[in-house]
Amino acid sequence: MANVIKLRKGLEINLKGKAREKKISTQVSNVYGLVPENFVGVTPKVVVKEGDHVLAGEALFVNKAYPEVKFASPVSGTVTEVLRGDRRKVLCVKVQADAQQESCDYGKKDVRTLDAEAVKQSLLEAGLFGYINQLPYAVSTTPDTTPKGIFVSALRDMPLAADFEFELAGNEEAFQAGITALSRMAPVTLGIGAHQSASALTEAKDAEVVVFDGSCPAGNVGIQVNHVSPISKGETVWTVEPTSVIFIGRLFLTGKVDLRRTIAVAGSRVTDPAYTEVLVGTPLADILNGRLASTEHVRIINGNPLTGVVSGLDGFLGGHTSEVTVIPEGDDKDEMLGWILPRTNDYSVSRSYLSWLMGKKREYDLDARIKGGERHMIMSGEYDKVFPMDIFAEYLIKSLIAGDIDRQEQLGIYEVSPEDFALAEFVDSSKLPLQKIVRDGLDILRKENA
């Protein structure tokens, strides 16, 4: 019987526009783009030139500090542009897809016969190793790290998040092959939700299955690591997004890099919220084509509303993105009397509005406004109500703002990632950008310890 961990802290935000469990088709795109910023901690070095022809699975760029860590093209085609920003920072590598797709053949392998080094080399060669992240620092991992364990969270419980069980259907064999491959490198822990019943999850082999019963953010892999195997200074844990497990499994089963994933197209400004199967790097314009109620006064998010990245129709699907969300921007609102109104349609954690009388199952159409300016930090304990980790969240944030590294280490900085503070940021009456504060603090700490 799987171990069950009950979490009592958290918050469910029921937003309008959740994807229905049906698949809709998306047109085949002409141009795909791989964005280095999707792989946090990687300094990209482009290994192709404009006009080069690449096969699906061939490297477009590598990690400059670890050139053996490659990042594979999702399609075969011609490199049309290496888009750069300030100081020649690589923003995107674009590939115009061939009409007839060709893939690199890395050879089928039986993962049950491979050792840790053989699995690692296969992932490095095929450009998939960079899809593995690590704690501490919440960055793309490197081949010189030795993890004490590998954690996979199959539970997605952020607002409007895609249901992984729906994506898993038809990919069970690849998912198991991916879990087995990872288990050759370190012990694997698979975190699932109490409501998930797919046998590929509950009866997964070569992994310890742990059930997490609680509200969002129970699905955050950092939360799961904290409750199963807390990290001390000097230790490393690898974390793998469940779709990346499928990518890994497909590589060993077919010998080819296949970056197809099923994502949710969700949000109150999507006409028919549903799922669609697309490749990593697919243009958001193609994913959202014909699916927007309006193209004005909307916010397009590469990800979910709490942890996703603001984008536009010129963006591309991220390497770790499991949903594309469209919500109102709120810049066209002109509210008379402001907060004095009863606001029966607005959501309030503290029940400041009368909307809580409508019941917990009510769906809210929230926009992107912060509704207040940044102010002094209020030590009210409000973070602790939604932060299910044995960490003093408010004191950790204060130490990050102050740049006190010794204090950060004492308060558990090595265990957290920015997404763990997403709900705390949502309820924060001080309107502080907590995820950015944590990300900046982790980057500084990583440089100090390099």
Side-chain angles (χ1 to χ4, degrees):
M1 181 178 179
N3 184 25
V4 179
I5 295 178
K6 176 73 174 179
L7 302 181
R8 302 190 182 280
K9 294 182 179 180
L11 178 68
E12 297 292 347
I13 306 172
N14 196 18
L15 296 186
K16 183 180 179 181
K18 188 172 179 62
R20 295 185 293 129
E21 291 192 354
K22 73 167 188 176
K23 277 190 179 182
I24 52 180
S25 61
T26 295
Q27 66 184 52
V28 178
S29 304
N30 292 323
V31 177
Y32 293 79
L34 199 62
V35 180
E37 278 195 345
N38 297 156
F39 306 96
V40 181
V42 171
T43 301
K45 178 182 178 182
V46 180
V47 294
V48 292
K49 301 187 297 294
E50 292 181 8
D52 286 354
H53 186 270
V54 295
L55 300 179
E58 276 195 271
L60 296 179
F61 57 86
V62 300
N63 188 344
K64 188 174 182 179
Y66 297 87
E68 64 271 33
V69 180
K70 307 171 186 177
F71 293 87
S73 173
V75 294
S76 68
T78 303
V79 177
T80 58
E81 184 180 9
V82 178
L83 184 62
R84 296 182 183 270
D86 295 340
R87 297 184 178 182
R88 293 185 55 76
K89 177 182 178 181
V90 181
L91 301 180
C92 181
V93 181
K94 298 181 181 180
V95 180
Q96 183 169 354
D98 292 334
Q100 188 69 34
Q101 287 293 299
E102 297 179 88
S103 299
C104 286
D105 190 353
Y106 294 104
K108 299 179 183 179
K109 298 181 179 71
D110 184 354
V111 292
R112 295 170 296 180
T113 65
L114 302 179
D115 59 15
E117 189 59 29
V119 171
K120 182 185 291 187
Q121 289 303 317
S122 295
L123 296 179
L124 288 168
E125 182 184 16
L128 293 181
F129 188 83
Y131 284 81
I132 301 175
N133 292 332
Q134 72 166 61
L135 291 173
Y137 312 125
V139 295
S140 182
T141 196
T142 55
D144 60 342
T145 59
T146 303
K148 69 171 183 175
I150 300 175
F151 279 74
V152 178
S153 174
L155 173 61
R156 296 178 180 145
D157 56 4
M158 287 289 180
L160 302 181
D163 184 354
F164 179 67
E165 280 192 292
F166 186 78
E167 180 178 3
L168 180 61
N171 292 302
E172 292 88 351
E173 184 182 6
F175 183 76
Q176 181 57 65
I179 290 289
T180 301
L182 293 172
S183 71
R184 294 298 180 263
M185 296 186 286
V188 175
T189 300
L190 174 62
I192 66 174
H195 65 278
Q196 292 181 303
S197 58
S199 59
L201 298 178
T202 59
E203 300 173 13
K205 300 179 179 63
D206 301 314
E208 178 187 1
V209 179
V210 181
V211 177
F212 288 86
D213 185 6
S215 301
C216 174
N220 285 12
V221 69
I223 303 295
Q224 298 181 5
V225 171
N226 177 260
H227 284 81
V228 176
S229 181
I231 302 172
S232 301
K233 185 176 182 179
E235 294 180 332
T236 301
V237 162
W238 287 356
T239 64
V240 187
E241 202 265 335
T243 305
S244 298
V245 177
I246 294 176
F247 294 164
I248 293 170
R250 287 173 182 162
L251 173 66
F252 291 103
L253 291 175
T254 67
K256 298 178 182 179
V257 174
D258 184 352
L259 298 181
R260 287 178 296 115
R261 64 182 305 157
T262 299
I263 65 166
V265 183
S268 61
R269 291 301 178 266
V270 175
T271 54
D272 185 17
Y275 290 80
T276 187
E277 187 174 75
V278 290
L279 286 166
V280 169
T282 299
L284 298 188
D286 291 342
I287 295 174
L288 296 173
N289 184 30
R291 294 170 185 157
L292 292 181
S294 171
T295 57
E296 297 181 348
H297 307 297
V298 297
R299 176 167 293 193
I300 299 171
I301 305 172
N302 215 328
N304 67 71
L306 291 188
T307 64
V309 178
V310 178
S311 185
L313 291 175
D314 58 346
F316 298 91
L317 185 72
H320 298 287
T321 302
S322 55
E323 54 272 326
V324 173
T325 313
V326 187
I327 62 174
E329 184 66 54
D331 56 353
D332 59 334
K333 296 292 181 68
D334 185 14
E335 296 181 341
M336 184 178 179
L337 300 179
W339 58 268
I340 297 177
L341 296 175
R343 291 177 176 268
T344 54
N345 293 322
D346 283 354
Y347 179 78
S348 173
V349 177
S350 59
R351 294 187 174 182
S352 298
Y353 310 141
L354 297 180
S355 55
W356 68 273
L357 294 172
M358 308 297 179
K360 291 183 178 180
K361 293 186 178 181
R362 178 178 179 174
E363 293 182 335
Y364 293 90
D365 186 10
L366 302 187
D367 57 46
R369 289 176 296 165
I370 298 176
K371 296 184 179 178
E374 188 174 321
R375 64 207 73 173
H376 292 295
M377 188 173 180
I378 303 169
M379 300 294 287
S380 61
E382 58 190 351
Y383 298 175
D384 294 334
K385 296 176 183 177
V386 297
F387 194 79
M389 296 175 72
D390 188 18
I391 287 175
F392 293 110
E394 291 176 338
Y395 290 97
L396 178 56
I397 291 296
K398 288 183 69 176
S399 69
L400 287 165
I401 294 172
D404 187 342
I405 292 178
D406 289 339
R407 186 67 170 156
Q408 293 167 23
E409 291 181 342
Q410 294 169 9
L411 290 168
I413 184 63
Y414 293 112
E415 297 189 55
V416 302
S417 62
E419 69 173 10
D420 297 331
F421 286 82
L423 272 180
E425 184 176 294
F426 178 78
V427 304
D428 184 17
S429 55
S430 298
K431 311 298 181 182
L432 296 178
L434 300 185
Q435 293 183 78
K436 184 180 185 302
I437 291 171
V438 174
R439 180 72 272 159
D440 291 345
L442 289 171
D443 290 344
I444 292 171
L445 189 65
R446 183 167 169 244
K447 290 179 182 178
E448 290 288 332
N449 292 335

